[in-house]
Coordinates of all heavy atoms in Angstrom, one line a residue:
M347 N 1.8 -12.6 2.5 CA 1.2 -11.3 3.0 C 2.3 -10.2 2.8 O 3.5 -10.4 3.1 CB 0.9 -11.5 4.5 CG 0.2 -10.3 5.1 SD -0.4 -10.6 6.7 CE 1.1 -10.2 7.7
L348 N 1.8 -9.1 2.5 CA 2.7 -7.9 2.4 C 3.3 -7.6 3.7 O 2.6 -7.6 4.8 CB 2.0 -6.7 1.8 CG 1.5 -6.7 0.4 CD1 0.7 -5.5 0.1 CD2 2.7 -6.8 -0.6
A349 N 4.6 -7.2 3.8 CA 5.2 -6.7 5.0 C 4.7 -5.4 5.5 O 4.6 -5.1 6.6 CB 6.7 -6.7 4.9
L350 N 4.4 -4.5 4.5 CA 4.0 -3.1 4.8 C 5.1 -2.4 5.5 O 5.0 -2.1 6.7 CB 2.7 -3.1 5.6 CG 1.4 -3.6 4.9 CD1 0.2 -3.6 5.8 CD2 1.1 -2.8 3.6
R351 N 6.2 -2.3 4.8 CA 7.4 -1.6 5.4 C 7.0 -0.1 5.8 O 6.2 0.5 5.1 CB 8.6 -1.6 4.5 CG 9.1 -3.0 4.3 CD 10.2 -3.1 3.3 NE 10.6 -4.5 3.0 CZ 11.4 -4.8 2.0 NH1 11.9 -3.9 1.2 NH2 11.7 -6.1 1.8
P352 N 7.6 0.4 6.9 CA 7.2 1.7 7.4 C 7.8 2.9 6.8 O 7.5 4.0 7.2 CB 7.6 1.5 8.9 CG 8.8 0.7 8.8 CD 8.6 -0.3 7.7
N353 N 8.7 2.7 5.8 CA 9.4 4.0 5.3 C 9.8 3.8 3.9 O 9.9 2.7 3.3 CB 10.6 4.3 6.2 CG 11.7 3.3 6.0 OD1 11.4 2.0 6.1 ND2 12.9 3.7 5.7
C354 N 10.1 5.0 3.3 CA 10.7 5.0 1.9 C 12.1 4.6 1.9 O 12.9 5.2 2.7 CB 10.5 6.4 1.3 SG 11.3 6.6 -0.3
E355 N 12.6 3.7 1.1 CA 14.0 3.3 1.1 C 14.9 4.4 0.6 O 16.1 4.4 0.8 CB 14.2 2.1 0.1 CG 13.9 0.8 0.8 CD 14.3 -0.4 -0.1 OE1 15.4 -0.4 -0.7 OE2 13.6 -1.4 -0.1
C356 N 14.4 5.4 -0.1 CA 15.2 6.4 -0.7 C 15.4 7.6 0.4 O 16.5 8.0 0.7 CB 14.6 7.0 -1.9 SG 14.7 6.0 -3.3
C357 N 14.3 8.1 0.8 CA 14.3 9.3 1.6 C 13.9 9.1 3.1 O 13.9 10.1 3.8 CB 13.4 10.4 1.0 SG 11.7 10.0 1.0
D358 N 13.6 7.9 3.4 CA 13.2 7.5 4.8 C 11.9 8.2 5.3 O 11.7 8.3 6.5 CB 14.4 7.9 5.8 CG 14.3 7.1 7.1 OD1 13.7 6.0 7.0 OD2 14.7 7.6 8.1
K359 N 11.1 8.7 4.3 CA 9.8 9.2 4.7 C 9.0 8.1 5.3 O 9.0 7.0 4.9 CB 9.2 9.8 3.4 CG 7.8 10.4 3.6 CD 7.2 10.8 2.3 CE 5.9 11.5 2.5 NZ 5.7 12.7 1.7
D360 N 8.2 8.5 6.3 CA 7.3 7.6 6.9 C 6.1 7.2 6.0 O 5.5 8.1 5.4 CB 6.7 8.1 8.2 CG 7.7 8.1 9.4 OD1 8.6 7.3 9.4 OD2 7.6 9.0 10.2
L361 N 5.9 5.9 5.9 CA 4.8 5.4 5.0 C 3.9 4.5 5.8 O 4.1 3.3 5.7 CB 5.4 4.7 3.8 CG 6.2 5.6 2.8 CD1 6.9 4.8 1.8 CD2 5.3 6.7 2.1
P362 N 3.1 5.0 6.6 CA 2.2 4.1 7.5 C 1.3 3.3 6.6 O 1.1 3.6 5.4 CB 1.4 5.1 8.3 CG 1.5 6.4 7.6 CD 2.8 6.4 6.8
P363 N 0.7 2.2 7.2 CA 0.0 1.3 6.4 C -1.2 1.9 5.6 O -1.6 1.4 4.5 CB -0.5 0.2 7.4 CG 0.1 0.6 8.7 CD 0.9 1.8 8.6
E364 N -1.7 3.0 6.1 CA -2.8 3.6 5.5 C -2.4 4.7 4.4 O -3.2 5.3 3.8 CB -3.8 4.3 6.5 CG -3.2 5.5 7.2 CD -2.4 5.1 8.4 OE1 -2.0 3.9 8.6 OE2 -2.1 6.0 9.2
S365 N -1.1 4.8 4.3 CA -0.6 5.9 3.3 C -0.9 5.5 1.9 O -0.7 4.4 1.5 CB 0.9 6.0 3.5 OG 1.4 6.9 2.5
E366 N -1.4 6.5 1.2 CA -1.7 6.3 -0.3 C -0.5 6.7 -1.1 O -0.5 6.7 -2.3 CB -2.9 7.0 -0.7 CG -4.2 6.5 0.0 CD -5.4 7.1 -0.5 OE1 -5.4 8.0 -1.3 OE2 -6.5 6.6 -0.1
E367 N 0.6 7.1 -0.4 CA 1.8 7.5 -1.1 C 2.8 6.4 -1.2 O 3.9 6.6 -1.9 CB 2.5 8.6 -0.2 CG 2.0 10.0 -0.5 CD 3.0 11.0 0.2 OE1 4.0 11.3 -0.4 OE2 2.7 11.3 1.4
A368 N 2.5 5.3 -0.7 CA 3.5 4.2 -0.7 C 3.4 3.4 -2.1 O 2.3 3.0 -2.5 CB 3.3 3.2 0.4
V369 N 4.5 3.1 -2.7 CA 4.6 2.2 -3.8 C 5.6 1.1 -3.6 O 6.6 1.3 -2.8 CB 4.9 3.0 -5.1 CG1 3.9 4.0 -5.5 CG2 6.3 3.6 -5.1
I370 N 5.3 0.0 -4.2 CA 6.2 -1.2 -4.0 C 6.5 -1.9 -5.3 O 5.8 -1.8 -6.2 CB 5.5 -2.2 -3.0 CG1 4.2 -2.7 -3.5 CG2 5.4 -1.6 -1.6 CD1 3.6 -3.8 -2.7
C371 N 7.6 -2.7 -5.3 CA 7.9 -3.6 -6.4 C 7.4 -5.0 -6.0 O 6.9 -5.2 -4.9 CB 9.3 -3.5 -6.8 SG 10.4 -4.5 -5.7
T372 N 7.7 -5.9 -6.9 CA 7.3 -7.3 -6.6 C 8.0 -7.9 -5.4 O 7.5 -8.8 -4.8 CB 7.4 -8.2 -7.9 OG1 6.9 -9.5 -7.6 CG2 8.9 -8.4 -8.2
F373 N 9.2 -7.4 -5.0 CA 9.9 -7.9 -3.8 C 9.6 -7.0 -2.6 O 10.2 -7.1 -1.6 CB 11.4 -7.9 -4.1 CG 11.8 -8.9 -5.1 CD1 12.2 -8.5 -6.4 CD2 11.8 -10.3 -4.9 CE1 12.6 -9.4 -7.4 CE2 12.1 -11.2 -5.8 CZ 12.5 -10.7 -7.1
E374 N 8.6 -6.1 -2.8 CA 8.2 -5.2 -1.7 C 9.3 -4.2 -1.3 O 9.4 -3.7 -0.2 CB 7.8 -6.0 -0.4 CG 6.5 -6.6 -0.6 CD 5.9 -7.2 0.7 OE1 5.7 -6.4 1.6 OE2 5.9 -8.4 0.8
C375 N 10.2 -3.9 -2.2 CA 11.0 -2.7 -2.0 C 10.0 -1.6 -2.0 O 9.1 -1.5 -2.8 CB 12.0 -2.5 -3.2 SG 13.0 -3.9 -3.6
T376 N 10.1 -0.7 -1.0 CA 9.1 0.3 -0.7 C 9.6 1.7 -0.8 O 10.7 2.0 -0.3 CB 8.5 0.0 0.7 OG1 8.1 -1.3 0.8 CG2 7.4 1.0 1.0
F377 N 8.9 2.5 -1.6 CA 9.2 3.9 -1.8 C 8.0 4.8 -1.7 O 6.9 4.3 -1.7 CB 9.9 4.0 -3.2 CG 11.0 3.1 -3.4 CD1 10.8 1.9 -4.1 CD2 12.3 3.4 -3.0 CE1 11.8 1.0 -4.3 CE2 13.3 2.5 -3.1 CZ 13.1 1.3 -3.8
C378 N 8.3 6.1 -1.5 CA 7.2 7.1 -1.6 C 6.9 7.4 -3.1 O 7.8 7.3 -3.9 CB 7.5 8.3 -0.8 SG 8.8 9.4 -1.4
K379 N 5.8 8.0 -3.3 CA 5.4 8.3 -4.7 C 6.3 9.3 -5.3 O 6.6 9.3 -6.5 CB 3.9 8.8 -4.7 CG 2.9 7.7 -4.9 CD 1.6 8.3 -5.2 CE 0.6 7.2 -5.5 NZ -0.8 7.6 -5.5
E380 N 6.7 10.3 -4.4 CA 7.6 11.3 -5.0 C 8.9 10.8 -5.5 O 9.4 11.1 -6.5 CB 7.8 12.4 -3.9 CG 8.4 13.6 -4.4 CD 8.5 14.8 -3.4 OE1 7.7 14.8 -2.5 OE2 9.3 15.6 -3.6
C381 N 9.6 9.9 -4.7 CA 10.8 9.3 -5.1 C 10.6 8.5 -6.3 O 11.4 8.5 -7.3 CB 11.4 8.5 -4.0 SG 12.1 9.5 -2.6
A382 N 9.5 7.7 -6.3 CA 9.2 6.8 -7.4 C 9.1 7.6 -8.7 O 9.6 7.2 -9.8 CB 7.9 6.1 -7.2
A383 N 8.5 8.8 -8.7 CA 8.2 9.6 -9.9 C 9.5 10.4 -10.3 O 9.9 10.4 -11.4 CB 7.1 10.5 -9.7
K384 N 10.1 11.0 -9.3 CA 11.2 12.0 -9.6 C 12.6 11.3 -9.7 O 13.4 11.7 -10.5 CB 11.2 13.1 -8.6 CG 10.0 14.0 -8.6 CD 10.1 15.1 -7.6 CE 8.8 16.0 -7.7 NZ 8.8 17.0 -6.6
K385 N 12.8 10.4 -8.8 CA 14.2 9.8 -8.8 C 14.2 8.5 -9.5 O 15.3 8.1 -10.1 CB 14.6 9.5 -7.3 CG 14.7 10.8 -6.5 CD 15.2 10.5 -5.1 CE 15.2 11.7 -4.2 NZ 15.5 11.3 -2.8
L386 N 13.2 7.7 -9.5 CA 13.2 6.3 -9.9 C 12.6 6.1 -11.2 O 12.7 5.0 -11.8 CB 12.6 5.4 -8.9 CG 13.2 5.6 -7.4 CD1 12.4 4.7 -6.5 CD2 14.6 5.2 -7.4
K387 N 11.8 7.0 -11.7 CA 11.0 6.9 -13.0 C 10.2 5.6 -12.9 O 10.1 4.9 -13.9 CB 11.9 6.8 -14.2 CG 13.0 8.0 -14.2 CD 12.3 9.3 -14.4 CE 13.4 10.4 -14.5 NZ 12.8 11.7 -14.1
H388 N 9.6 5.3 -11.7 CA 8.7 4.2 -11.5 C 9.4 2.8 -11.8 O 8.7 1.8 -12.1 CB 7.5 4.3 -12.4 CG 6.7 5.6 -12.1 ND1 6.0 5.8 -10.9 CD2 6.7 6.8 -12.8 CE1 5.5 7.0 -11.0 NE2 5.9 7.6 -12.0
V389 N 10.7 2.8 -11.7 CA 11.5 1.5 -11.8 C 12.2 1.3 -10.5 O 12.9 2.1 -10.0 CB 12.4 1.5 -13.0 CG1 13.3 0.3 -13.0 CG2 11.7 1.7 -14.3
C390 N 12.1 0.1 -9.9 CA 12.8 -0.2 -8.6 C 14.3 -0.2 -8.9 O 14.8 -0.9 -9.8 CB 12.3 -1.6 -8.1 SG 13.2 -2.1 -6.6
P391 N 15.0 0.5 -8.1 CA 16.5 0.6 -8.2 C 17.2 -0.7 -7.7 O 18.3 -0.9 -8.0 CB 16.9 1.8 -7.4 CG 15.8 1.8 -6.3 CD 14.6 1.4 -7.0
N392 N 16.5 -1.5 -7.0 CA 17.1 -2.7 -6.5 C 17.0 -3.9 -7.5 O 17.9 -4.7 -7.6 CB 16.5 -3.1 -5.1 CG 16.6 -2.0 -4.1 OD1 17.6 -1.4 -4.1 ND2 15.6 -1.9 -3.3
C393 N 15.8 -4.0 -8.1 CA 15.6 -5.2 -8.9 C 15.2 -4.9 -10.3 O 15.1 -5.8 -11.1 CB 14.5 -6.1 -8.2 SG 12.9 -5.4 -8.2
G394 N 14.9 -3.6 -10.6 CA 14.6 -3.3 -12.0 C 13.1 -3.5 -12.3 O 12.7 -3.3 -13.5
G395 N 12.3 -3.9 -11.3 CA 10.9 -4.2 -11.6 C 10.1 -2.9 -11.5 O 10.6 -1.8 -11.1
N396 N 8.8 -3.0 -11.9 CA 8.0 -1.8 -11.9 C 7.4 -1.5 -10.5 O 7.4 -2.4 -9.6 CB 6.8 -1.9 -12.9 CG 5.9 -3.0 -12.6 OD1 6.3 -4.1 -12.1 ND2 4.6 -2.8 -12.8
L397 N 7.1 -0.3 -10.2 CA 6.6 0.1 -8.9 C 5.1 0.5 -9.1 O 4.7 1.2 -10.0 CB 7.3 1.4 -8.4 CG 8.8 1.1 -8.1 CD1 9.5 2.5 -7.8 CD2 9.0 0.2 -6.9
V398 N 4.3 -0.1 -8.2 CA 2.8 0.2 -8.2 C 2.4 0.6 -6.8 O 3.1 0.3 -5.8 CB 2.0 -1.1 -8.6 CG1 2.4 -1.5 -10.1 CG2 2.3 -2.2 -7.7
Q399 N 1.2 1.2 -6.7 CA 0.7 1.7 -5.5 C 0.5 0.5 -4.5 O -0.1 -0.5 -4.9 CB -0.6 2.5 -5.6 CG -1.0 3.0 -4.3 CD -2.1 4.1 -4.4 OE1 -2.4 4.5 -5.5 NE2 -2.7 4.4 -3.3
R400 N 0.9 0.6 -3.3 CA 0.7 -0.4 -2.3 C -0.7 -0.4 -1.9 O -1.3 0.6 -1.5 CB 1.6 -0.1 -1.1 CG 1.7 -1.3 -0.1 CD 2.7 -1.0 1.0 NE 2.3 0.1 1.8 CZ 3.0 0.6 2.8 NH1 4.2 0.1 3.1 NH2 2.6 1.6 3.6
P401 N -1.4 -1.6 -1.8 CA -2.7 -1.6 -1.4 C -2.9 -1.3 0.1 O -1.9 -1.5 0.9 CB -3.2 -3.1 -1.7 CG -2.0 -3.8 -1.9 CD -0.8 -2.9 -2.2
I402 N -4.0 -0.7 0.5 CA -4.2 -0.3 1.9 C -4.8 -1.5 2.6 O -5.8 -2.1 2.1 CB -5.2 0.9 1.9 CG1 -4.7 2.0 1.1 CG2 -5.4 1.3 3.4 CD1 -3.5 2.7 1.5
R403 N -4.2 -1.9 3.7 CA -4.8 -3.0 4.5 C -5.9 -2.4 5.4 O -5.6 -1.5 6.1 CB -3.7 -3.7 5.3 CG -4.2 -4.9 6.1 CD -3.1 -5.7 6.7 NE -2.2 -6.1 5.6 CZ -1.0 -6.6 5.8 NH1 -0.5 -6.8 7.0 NH2 -0.2 -7.0 4.8
P404 N -7.1 -3.0 5.3 CA -8.1 -2.5 6.2 C -7.7 -2.4 7.6 O -7.1 -3.4 8.1 CB -9.3 -3.5 6.0 CG -9.0 -4.0 4.6 CD -7.5 -4.1 4.5
R405 N -8.0 -1.3 8.3 CA -7.6 -1.1 9.7 C -7.9 -2.2 10.6 O -7.1 -2.6 11.4 CB -8.2 0.2 10.2 CG -7.7 0.7 11.5 CD -8.2 2.1 11.8 NE -7.4 3.1 11.1 CZ -6.2 3.5 11.4 NH1 -5.6 3.0 12.5 NH2 -5.6 4.4 10.7
A406 N -9.1 -2.8 10.4 CA -9.5 -3.9 11.3 C -8.6 -5.1 11.2 O -8.4 -5.8 12.2 CB -10.9 -4.3 11.0
L407 N -8.0 -5.3 10.1 CA -7.1 -6.4 9.9 C -5.7 -6.2 10.3 O -4.9 -7.1 10.5 CB -7.1 -6.8 8.4 CG -8.4 -7.3 7.9 CD1 -8.3 -7.6 6.4 CD2 -8.9 -8.6 8.6
L408 N -5.3 -4.9 10.6 CA -4.0 -4.6 11.1 C -3.8 -5.1 12.5 O -2.7 -5.3 12.9 CB -3.7 -3.1 11.0 CG -3.4 -2.5 9.6 CD1 -3.5 -1.0 9.6 CD2 -2.1 -3.0 9.1
A409 N -4.9 -5.3 13.2 CA -4.7 -5.7 14.6 C -4.2 -7.2 14.6 O -3.4 -7.5 15.4 CB -6.1 -5.7 15.3
T410 N -4.7 -8.0 13.7 CA -4.3 -9.4 13.6 C -3.1 -9.6 12.6 O -2.4 -10.6 12.7 CB -5.4 -10.3 13.3 OG1 -6.1 -9.7 12.2 CG2 -6.4 -10.4 14.4
N411 N -3.0 -8.7 11.7 CA -1.9 -8.8 10.7 C -1.1 -7.5 10.7 O -1.3 -6.7 9.7 CB -2.5 -9.1 9.3 CG -3.3 -10.4 9.3 OD1 -2.8 -11.4 9.2 ND2 -4.6 -10.2 9.5
P412 N -0.4 -7.2 11.7 CA 0.3 -5.9 11.8 C 1.3 -5.6 10.7 O 1.9 -6.5 10.2 CB 0.9 -5.9 13.2 CG 1.1 -7.4 13.5 CD 0.0 -8.1 12.8
A413 N 1.5 -4.3 10.5 CA 2.5 -3.9 9.5 C 3.9 -4.1 10.1 O 4.1 -4.1 11.3 CB 2.3 -2.5 9.1
S414 N 4.9 -4.3 9.2 CA 6.3 -4.4 9.6 C 6.7 -3.1 10.3 O 6.3 -2.0 9.9 CB 7.2 -4.6 8.4 OG 8.5 -4.5 8.7
T415 N 7.6 -3.2 11.2 CA 8.2 -2.0 11.9 C 9.7 -1.9 11.5 O 10.4 -1.0 12.0 CB 8.0 -2.0 13.4 OG1 8.6 -3.2 13.9 CG2 6.6 -2.0 13.8
K416 N 10.2 -2.8 10.7 CA 11.6 -2.9 10.3 C 11.8 -1.9 9.2 O 11.4 -2.1 8.1 CB 11.9 -4.3 9.9 CG 13.4 -4.5 9.6 CD 13.7 -6.0 9.5 CE 15.2 -6.2 9.2 NZ 15.5 -6.1 7.8
R417 N 12.6 -0.8 9.5 CA 12.9 0.2 8.5 C 14.0 -0.3 7.6 O 15.0 -0.8 8.0 CB 13.3 1.5 9.1 CG 12.2 2.1 10.0 CD 12.6 3.4 10.7 NE 12.4 4.5 9.8 CZ 11.3 5.2 9.7 NH1 10.2 4.8 10.3 NH2 11.2 6.2 8.8
V418 N 13.8 -0.1 6.3 CA 14.8 -0.5 5.3 C 15.1 0.8 4.6 O 14.3 1.6 4.1 CB 14.2 -1.5 4.2 CG1 15.2 -1.8 3.2 CG2 13.8 -2.8 5.0
L419 N 16.5 1.1 4.5 CA 16.9 2.3 3.9 C 18.1 2.0 3.1 O 19.1 1.3 3.5 CB 17.2 3.3 5.0 CG 17.5 4.8 4.6 CD1 16.3 5.4 3.9 CD2 17.9 5.6 5.8
K420 N 18.2 2.5 1.8 CA 19.4 2.3 1.0 C 20.5 3.2 1.5 O 20.4 4.4 1.8 CB 19.0 2.7 -0.5 CG 18.2 1.7 -1.2 CD 17.8 2.1 -2.6 CE 19.0 2.0 -3.5 NZ 19.4 0.5 -3.7
E421 N 21.6 2.5 1.7 CA 22.8 3.2 2.4 C 23.2 4.4 1.7 O 23.6 5.4 2.3 CB 23.9 2.2 2.6 CG 25.0 2.6 3.5 CD 26.1 1.6 3.6 OE1 25.9 0.4 3.2 OE2 27.1 1.9 4.2
F422 N 23.2 4.4 0.4 CA 23.8 5.5 -0.4 C 22.7 6.3 -1.1 O 22.9 7.0 -2.0 CB 24.8 5.0 -1.4 CG 26.0 4.3 -0.7 CD1 26.1 2.9 -0.8 CD2 26.9 5.0 0.1 CE1 27.1 2.3 -0.1 CE2 27.9 4.4 0.7 CZ 28.1 3.0 0.6
G423 N 21.4 6.1 -0.6 CA 20.3 6.8 -1.3 C 20.0 6.2 -2.6 O 20.6 5.1 -3.0
C424 N 19.2 6.9 -3.4 CA 18.7 6.3 -4.6 C 19.3 6.9 -5.8 O 19.2 6.4 -6.9 CB 17.2 6.4 -4.7 SG 16.4 5.1 -3.6
E425 N 19.9 8.1 -5.7 CA 20.4 8.8 -6.8 C 21.5 8.0 -7.5 O 21.5 7.8 -8.7 CB 21.0 10.2 -6.5 CG 20.1 11.3 -6.9 CD 19.0 11.5 -5.9 OE1 19.0 10.9 -4.8 OE2 18.0 12.2 -6.2
S426 N 22.5 7.5 -6.7 CA 23.5 6.6 -7.3 C 22.9 5.3 -7.6 O 21.9 4.9 -7.1 CB 24.6 6.4 -6.2 OG 24.1 5.8 -5.1
G427 N 23.5 4.5 -8.5 CA 23.0 3.2 -8.8 C 21.9 3.2 -9.8 O 21.5 2.2 -10.2
I428 N 21.5 4.4 -10.3 CA 20.5 4.4 -11.4 C 21.2 4.7 -12.7 O 22.0 5.7 -12.8 CB 19.5 5.5 -11.1 CG1 18.6 5.1 -9.9 CG2 18.5 5.6 -12.3 CD1 17.6 6.1 -9.5
A429 N 21.0 3.9 -13.6 CA 21.7 4.1 -14.9 C 21.1 5.3 -15.6 O 20.0 5.6 -15.5 CB 21.5 2.8 -15.8
Ligands
ZN1036 ZN1 11.0 8.8 -0.8
ZN1037 ZN1 12.6 -4.2 -6.1

């Protein structure tokens, strides 16, 4: 099951489970669409994988399968570390 992380790893923008701005890689590194497009060129800076839009979990299922509340943020942002 997807963790549905609550924020962008680059800019710490809130990405609630119903957000259509959230994109993830295969390891669920989570970013906002703006960072994915402008900073990351749709490539995950952690693993090199591609970033795709995170599916929306139906609201009724969030009650029994809640989204993660653990924020993950890259310590030095996303600009560094990109070749
Ligand atoms: Zn972002
Ligand atoms: Zn990744």
Side-chain angles (χ1 to χ4, degrees):
M347 186 175 85
L348 291 174
L350 297 174
R351 293 178 187 166
N353 68 309
C354 170
E355 277 192 37
C356 286
C357 66
D358 202 26
K359 179 182 184 137
D360 285 332
L361 296 171
E364 69 275 15
S365 175
E366 295 185 355
E367 272 192 86
V369 296
I370 58 174
C371 77
T372 187
F373 294 107
E374 288 190 65
C375 309
T376 303
F377 306 97
C378 69
K379 269 189 176 168
E380 191 173 336
C381 287
K384 292 182 180 171
K385 297 181 186 172
L386 307 175
K387 311 295 182 203
H388 304 286
V389 174
C390 176
N392 300 325
C393 69
N396 63 321
L397 296 171
V398 297
Q399 183 167 352
R400 189 176 67 186
I402 307 295
R403 183 168 303 167
R405 185 169 285 280
L407 296 177
L408 283 169
T410 47
N411 301 278
S414 169
T415 56
K416 185 168 178 274
R417 300 180 82 85
V418 178
L419 189 63
K420 286 178 76 64
E421 190 176 353
F422 302 107
C424 285
E425 254 82 10
S426 61
I428 294 180

